[in-house]
Amino acid sequence: MNAIDATDRAVAEQDIEPPSLLTIIIDTNPHAWALLDDTLPLTKAVASLLVFINAHLAINYTNQVAVIASHSERAEWLYPTDVHPDNVQSNGALANGRDYEDLMDRGGPVQPPDDANKYRPFAQLEHTLMYNLRKMMNTTTTDAINSSPATMLAGALTRALAYISKQTASLPTATSSTQFNYSDPSAMAGGNELTTDPTKSANALGLSSRILIVSVSGDLADRYIEIMNCIFACQRMSVPIDVLKLAGDPVFLQQAADTTGGIYMSLSTSTARAGLLQYLMFAYLMDQTARNHLIAPGEGEGVDFRAACFCHKRVVDIGFVCSICLSIFCEPLPDGTCLLCGSHLSMTNYGRKPVVVPKKKVKKKKRPTESGTDTPASGAGTPMPG
Amino acid sequence: MADSDAEYDGEGPDEDDVMEVSDGGRRAMASRPKERAQARWEATASSNWELQEAADGSIEGILGGLEEAGKRKRLLKDTTPLQRGIIRHTLLVLDLSSAMLEKDLRPTRHLLTINYTIMFVREYFEQNPISQLGIFGMREGLAIRISDMSGNPNDHIAALKQLRSTEPKGNPSLQNALDMARAALYHTPSHGTREVVIVLGALLSSDPGDIHDTIKACIRDRIRVRIIGLAAQMHICAEICRKTNGGDENYYNVAVDEVDYRQQLMDITTPPVLRSTDTEAQKHNQAALLMMGFPSRIVEEKPTLCACHGNLTRGGYLCSRCKAKVCNLPATCPTCDLTLILSTHLARSYHHLFPLRNWVEVSWTRARQEGSIQCFGCLTPFPRIPNPQEAVNGTEHDVASARTKRAEGASESSRYECETCGQHFCIDCDVFCHEVVHNCPGCQSNAHLPGNQNGHDAG
C-alpha cells in the first residue's frame, strides 16, 4: 500500500495547533509583596514569569501574550503597551495619531535595544514588560499605597476579557460558527450554545485564550459582584482562568478556577514558592488542547464555595438572602429592612420553634371518662362513641 | 402560515420579493392585525432597498456606520435598575396536538419545539439558577404532565427527550392547561413570580367550559401568561395575555420563522420586570429574607450515599447546617430543609439587578479634548482626530467628515465614553462590556474615579 494518500494528509492537517493567547494578570499589590519579600521578591517572580512567557511563545510561533498588572489603585497594561492620553498630549506628533499606527506595527511605543544574540520577540517582550513595570512602580505614590490595601483584580480581568474578545474576533482563521458572536442578531438574546454544551471544545479552530492570575492579595470581597461578572463572562467565552496563589485567602479565585475549568494551585510554603518556575512550567504551560489529554493538578480536591456577605464582607457558609435583590447578609437584619434595596423583609421560619402536633385530641377522648370541668363550653353532654 | 391568505389579498403584488428579504423580524401582534400600520419585517425590507439606491459614493463607510448603529440599537436599553422577579416559578406548556405535525418549521414543529425547549431549559437555569420550572403538554383535549416543578434542568431535559418518540395527537385545550398550571403554581411562595408560557401551534382550543372564568381565576392568582404562536394570531390568546399581564399586549407573539421562534423563547429567560401592582401585592404578601446555605464541595476516598437520591457518589456538597450530603446544587437539604445553593448562582443574577450604564457617543470636540487614541479596553487604535481647522471648515474631502454622516446612534469619532470614569472605548468593547461582562473596564481599573463613584460602588 502506498503510505502517502489523501486520508493521511487530511489527518496531518488537523494536527496544526491553534494559536493560543495567554493573558497573565500579575497582582502587584505592594503590601502583599512586602510580606513575601524574604522568600520570593517580586523581581524574582517576574524573572520566572518571563521565562514562562518565553516558553509559551516558543511552543508555537502564532502564540500571543498579554500581561496586565493589577496594582493597588489601578490596573495597567504591561504588555502590549497602553498609551496614556497625558503622554500623547505632551508629544505633538502623537496627538494627531499620525505616527501612532506606525509605532504599533513595530511593537508598541517602547523599543528594545538591538541585540543580535536574543530572539527578537523575547527581547521585545522582556524590555517592554520591565519598562512598563518600572514606570508603574515609579509613578505609584505613597498616598495611593496607604489608601488602598487591596488590588484591582476586577479591572484587570475586565480589561483582559475585552482584549481577548477583540483578539478572538479579529483573528482571520477563526470561523464564525465556533466562536460566540454576541453581536449577531440570530444569536440568542441571553446566551449561546457554548454555555449549554460544556463538553464541546468551543474554540477548536480559532484563537484559544486563557488567563493566568498570579495572586498574592487576600481580600477580594469588596469587588465581589464585578469579579463574579468576569467569571461568568469567562465561562461564556470558554476562557479558563488559571490561578496561582502565592499568598492570601483563596475563596473567590478557587471558585473562579473551578467555574471556568482552570487550574488552581496554592503555594503556601516558602519551599513551594522557591520552585515557582517549576510550578509554572509543569502545571500552567499546556494550552486547552493539550489539557484534554492530561490530568490537571488540583482536580481531586474540594472547593470552598462560601460567599461574602454584603454587610460586613465576612465570608459565610449560612447566609440570609433578600428575595428581591439577592444580597447576602451574614446575620438577620435588625429592623427587617434590606440594606441594599430598602424593601421591608419578613423573616421566614427563622428562630421559630418547630411546630409540634398538639395532643389535644387525645385529651378530648379521655375527657368524658374523667371530669369534663376544665372545658365547660365543649358540650359536656355530648355522648362520645366508644 | 396557515391562514395568511386573507391578509395576503389586501397587499400589493410585489410582496413576494420583500417577504424573502425579511429576516428575523417579528410581528408585534396587536389584538386586531388589520389596524397595524406596517409590520416590522416590512420596514426592515424597504429600508434595505433604499440604502442600496442611496449609496452612490463610499458604500463602506455608510454600511460600517449602519452596522455600528445596529449594534448600538440592540445595546441601548433602559438601564434603570428595575425590580425584577428573580425567584421565578414558570410553567412551560407545550402544544402536543396534531397541529404540531406541520412541517412549516423544520423538521417539524414538534421536533423543533422539543429541541428549542431543551435549549430553553438550559438557558433558563443559567439565567435563573434559583428558579423553578415545570413542563406540561396539551394533547387530545387534556393537559398532561411532562415534568414536575423542579430546579434541576436534567430532569426536564430527560423528560423532553422522551417526548421525541411520541406522536402529537388530537386538539389542545387552553383552559385545561391553564387550570392545571394554576393548580401547580398554587402552593408557590408569594415572593416568587408565577408565570405560564404556552407554545401554541394549533389555531383552536377545545375547552370543556368557559375559558373566561379561567382567565379571571388566573388574574386572581397573580399568574402571568405568555403565549408564543406558531401559526397565526388568535383573539383568545391575545386576550389571555393582555388580561393576565395588566393590559400589556407585548406578551403574545407569533413566530415568523425558526430564528424568530428561538429568539422569542430565549427572551423569556430574562427575569420579568415587576409592575407596581405586583409590588403592592408583594407588600401584602411580604418579601422575605431567606436563609440559605453555601456549602463547600468535598471529595471522598470511598463512595457514600447521598441524602437526596440515595445514590453512591464520591464527593458532593455537605449541607452547611446538618452536614447531610447532597450530590447536586441548587437543592433543598432533604434533612433540614435548608436551601442550598452556590453563591455563584446568586451572583449570576446580579447583572440583571445592577445593569451597567449606557455609554455615550463622543463628538470630535470631546475626543480632541480627551486626546484618546486607543480603546481603553482592547488597545485598538481609534481613527485619528482631525485638525481643528479642518473640522471648522467642514470640507467634504476629509476622512472625518465622511464619518460624520454616519447613521443615527453611531458615534462620529468611533469612540464611546463611559460617563462615570471618562474613558473611551470602541464599539466592540461597548457591545462586549454591556452584553457579556457587565463591567466597565475603566471604572474597575481606577480606585479614584474623577466622576461620581456611587454608580458602581452600589453594585
Side-chain angles (χ1 to χ4, degrees):
Chain A
M1 293 290 279
N2 193 354
I4 306 164
D5 61 357
T7 50
D8 273 3
R9 256 178 275 145
V11 168
E13 257 178 86
Q14 280 185 339
D15 281 344
I16 296 172
E17 280 183 34
S20 160
L21 168 64
L22 169 69
T23 310
I24 300 183
I25 296 174
I26 309 175
D27 181 358
T28 54
N29 183 2
H31 294 272
W33 280 107
L35 292 178
L36 286 178
D37 203 34
D38 46 346
T39 55
L40 181 74
L42 178 61
T43 46
K44 249 187 175 173
V46 171
S48 301
L49 271 173
L50 279 172
V51 177
F52 172 65
I53 292 171
N54 288 350
H56 171 76
L57 288 176
I59 281 179
N60 187 340
Y61 70 97
T62 49
N63 277 0
Q64 299 168 44
V65 165
V67 187
I68 303 174
S70 152
H71 206 48
S72 57
E73 88 292 2
R74 62 188 197 269
E76 289 260 3
W77 283 100
L78 296 184
Y79 182 88
T81 312
D82 180 16
V83 182
H84 274 283
D86 315 341
N87 302 350
V88 176
Q89 271 164 347
S90 63
N91 184 348
L94 273 179
N96 285 332
R98 267 186 202 125
D99 298 331
Y100 177 68
E101 278 161 42
D102 302 343
L103 274 178
M104 286 312 273
D105 289 341
R106 287 185 278 128
V110 186
Q111 289 300 312
D114 277 331
D115 182 2
N117 291 323
K118 205 162 192 177
Y119 182 47
R120 190 163 171 79
F122 291 176
Q124 193 180 325
L125 179 125
E126 186 184 317
H127 183 78
T128 314
L129 198 149
M130 291 313 289
Y131 174 82
N132 285 328
L133 187 62
R134 267 194 211 103
K135 198 177 82 185
M136 188 184 76
M137 288 302 179
N138 288 339
T139 49
T140 308
T141 56
T142 37
D143 287 349
I145 296 176
N146 290 337
S147 64
S148 54
T151 180
M152 304 302 284
L153 186 66
L157 266 174
T158 315
R159 292 185 89 173
L161 282 171
Y163 184 77
I164 288 172
S165 116
K166 187 75 166 200
Q167 294 296 319
T168 313
S170 62
L171 196 79
T173 52
T175 53
S176 59
S177 60
T178 54
Q179 76 187 61
F180 171 43
N181 192 354
Y182 46 81
S183 53
D184 185 3
S186 61
M188 268 182 248
N192 57 82
E193 278 118 315
L194 302 186
T195 50
T196 57
D197 191 0
T199 54
K200 197 168 73 182
S201 75
N203 292 323
L205 294 168
L207 184 72
S208 75
S209 313
R210 64 184 200 270
I211 295 176
L212 169 64
I213 302 177
V214 180
S215 171
V216 286
S217 305
D219 184 29
L220 297 170
D222 57 336
R223 292 280 170 180
Y224 178 67
I225 292 177
E226 286 82 6
I227 292 176
M228 281 301 175
N229 281 342
C230 290
I231 294 172
F232 298 132
C234 283
Q235 199 181 10
R236 190 157 262 208
M237 297 161 69
S238 37
V239 172
I241 302 181
D242 297 335
V243 178
L244 182 61
K245 191 92 195 161
L246 296 176
D249 184 24
V251 181
F252 301 113
L253 291 176
Q254 195 176 9
Q255 289 178 18
D258 183 77
T259 317
T260 56
I263 296 167
Y264 175 85
M265 283 183 99
S266 177
L267 310 184
S268 45
T269 59
S270 57
T271 43
R273 273 183 222 130
L276 174 67
L277 180 60
Q278 209 166 352
Y279 277 100
L280 283 171
M281 293 297 238
F282 279 87
Y284 295 96
L285 190 59
M286 64 274 194
D287 61 0
Q288 270 164 289
T289 356
R291 278 182 201 183
N292 294 336
H293 309 288
L294 296 169
I295 297 174
E299 254 173 26
E301 288 167 22
V303 182
D304 191 343
F305 272 117
R306 290 174 301 162
C309 79
F310 286 26
C311 43
H312 306 94
K313 307 286 178 202
R314 275 182 219 150
V315 177
V316 293
D317 64 348
I318 293 186
F320 298 88
V321 178
C322 168
S323 73
I324 289 176
C325 65
L326 296 188
S327 15
I328 308 165
F329 302 105
C330 56
E331 49 199 30
L333 300 162
D335 51 351
T337 313
C338 173
L339 299 177
L340 232 71
C341 63
S343 36
H344 190 75
L345 301 170
S346 67
M347 284 299 302
T348 49
N349 304 331
Y350 175 72
R352 206 185 289 168
K353 284 196 176 167
V355 181
V356 183
V357 181
K359 282 184 179 176
K360 244 184 180 177
K361 280 195 175 173
V362 187
K363 265 188 183 174
K364 263 185 187 173
K365 276 186 180 174
K366 285 179 182 174
R367 209 177 295 135
T369 55
E370 293 166 7
S371 65
T373 49
D374 50 346
T375 48
S378 69
T382 317
M384 297 293 285
Chain B
M1 306 260 181
D3 75 341
S4 64
D5 289 11
E7 263 184 60
Y8 181 73
D9 290 339
E11 309 279 359
D14 56 343
E15 205 200 9
D16 274 354
D17 295 341
V18 186
M19 214 152 174
E20 281 168 22
V21 180
S22 72
D23 53 334
R26 182 191 318 168
R27 273 195 275 183
M29 282 298 177
S31 60
R32 288 199 185 111
K34 294 282 176 193
E35 281 176 12
R36 69 195 161 83
Q38 198 183 27
R40 241 182 64 196
W41 53 269
E42 288 167 339
T44 327
S46 60
S47 74
N48 270 341
W49 290 115
E50 273 169 28
L51 168 78
Q52 279 169 14
E53 283 164 18
D56 39 28
S58 60
I59 191 168
E60 206 172 301
I62 291 172
L63 282 178
L66 272 182
E67 200 191 336
E68 275 195 34
K71 281 181 186 173
R72 290 275 293 175
K73 206 173 173 186
R74 268 192 298 284
L75 202 65
L76 288 176
K77 48 194 170 197
D78 194 8
T79 57
T80 333
L82 292 166
Q83 184 179 338
R84 288 181 183 270
I86 294 290
I87 303 175
R88 303 171 70 181
H89 301 93
T90 310
L91 263 176
L92 185 64
V93 182
L94 301 178
D95 190 348
L96 297 176
S97 67
S98 53
M100 296 301 279
L101 290 169
E102 290 277 338
K103 288 186 172 135
D104 53 352
L105 301 173
R106 300 270 154 197
T108 65
R109 286 182 188 173
H110 179 65
L111 290 176
L112 188 79
T113 303
I114 289 170
N115 287 347
Y116 281 180
T117 310
I118 290 174
M119 278 157 57
F120 169 80
V121 169
R122 290 203 176 109
E123 184 66 18
Y124 179 86
F125 284 107
E126 192 81 10
Q127 299 280 331
N128 310 281
I130 46 174
S131 299
Q132 302 271 316
L133 183 74
I135 303 178
F136 288 171
M138 294 182 289
R139 177 202 194 101
E140 292 185 285
L142 299 174
I144 54 166
R145 192 178 291 263
I146 296 168
S147 65
D148 286 322
M149 286 288 273
S150 95
N152 186 351
N154 296 328
D155 294 351
H156 301 304
I157 290 168
L160 282 167
K161 279 184 176 157
Q162 282 198 330
L163 210 60
R164 269 197 190 128
S165 53
T166 62
E167 192 90 333
K169 204 174 170 188
N171 287 328
S173 164
L174 285 175
Q175 192 192 8
N176 281 341
L178 283 177
D179 273 331
M180 193 157 159
R182 215 160 54 83
L185 291 170
Y186 181 73
H187 69 279
T188 56
S190 58
H191 54 75
T193 65
R194 295 170 176 180
E195 297 164 64
V196 175
V197 177
I198 302 178
V199 175
L200 189 65
L203 289 169
L204 57 96
S205 168
S206 121
D207 296 333
D210 186 2
I211 194 167
H212 293 91
D213 293 341
T214 312
I215 298 175
K216 277 178 199 143
C218 285
I219 299 169
R220 211 170 37 241
D221 286 354
R222 290 196 306 118
I223 290 175
R224 308 162 69 149
V225 185
R226 274 177 183 242
I227 299 181
I228 298 176
L230 299 184
Q233 198 215 13
M234 275 164 70
H235 179 75
I236 187 67
C237 297
E239 191 173 332
I240 292 172
C241 296
R242 193 181 62 240
K243 284 191 172 166
T244 54
N245 286 291
D248 197 336
E249 292 187 342
N250 293 326
Y251 291 90
Y252 177 42
N253 284 302
V254 176
V256 177
D257 53 17
E258 286 92 341
V259 177
D260 189 33
Y261 180 24
R262 192 176 74 165
Q263 177 79 42
Q264 291 194 19
L265 208 52
M266 290 306 154
D267 278 348
I268 300 172
T269 56
T270 309
V273 172
L274 291 189
R275 290 183 298 271
S276 55
T277 45
D278 292 347
T279 326
E280 262 163 45
Q282 280 210 340
K283 257 181 207 152
H284 202 251
N285 291 318
Q286 274 306 347
L289 193 60
L290 312 165
M291 191 169 173
M292 289 187 184
F294 305 102
S296 293
R297 197 173 63 205
I298 50 146
V299 175
E300 295 162 314
E301 289 277 304
K302 296 196 178 83
T304 52
L305 291 173
C306 72
C308 44
H309 302 95
N311 293 337
L312 277 174
T313 47
R314 264 163 98 179
Y317 303 87
L318 289 190
C319 169
S320 323
R321 187 156 62 186
C322 67
K323 304 288 177 223
K325 191 177 88 170
V326 292
C327 54
N328 250 321
L329 292 186
T332 309
C333 173
T335 318
C336 68
D337 220 25
L338 183 70
T339 314
L340 301 175
I341 53 165
L342 294 179
S343 55
T344 50
H345 287 143
L346 288 182
R348 237 177 244 285
S349 304
Y350 289 148
H351 72 260
H352 294 304
L353 303 167
F354 313 113
L356 182 60
R357 285 161 73 184
N358 284 330
W359 294 344
V360 296
E361 291 123 50
V362 178
S363 66
W364 283 121
T365 330
R366 174 76 181 148
R368 194 173 304 113
Q369 193 183 335
E370 289 286 312
S372 56
I373 54 168
Q374 61 177 191
C375 168
F376 187 78
C378 63
L379 303 183
T380 314
F382 286 133
R384 71 180 189 87
I385 305 168
N387 286 330
Q389 297 87 3
E390 291 171 33
V392 168
N393 294 337
T395 45
E396 290 295 315
H397 318 287
D398 196 5
V399 190
S401 63
R403 284 190 163 267
T404 324
K405 293 186 298 183
R406 298 177 72 151
E408 184 106 357
S411 164
E412 59 173 6
S413 60
S414 298
R415 294 160 169 82
Y416 298 90
E417 179 177 322
C418 168
E419 288 179 296
T420 312
C421 61
Q423 298 291 352
H424 289 180
F425 301 93
C426 66
I427 180 71
D428 290 319
C429 287
D430 187 359
V431 175
F432 177 75
C433 290
H434 282 90
E435 304 224 313
V436 184
V437 198
H438 309 287
N439 275 347
C440 169
C443 301
Q444 296 309 316
S445 301
N446 197 342
H448 313 289
L449 290 176
N452 64 329
Q453 216 165 335
N454 305 332
H456 274 269
D457 277 4

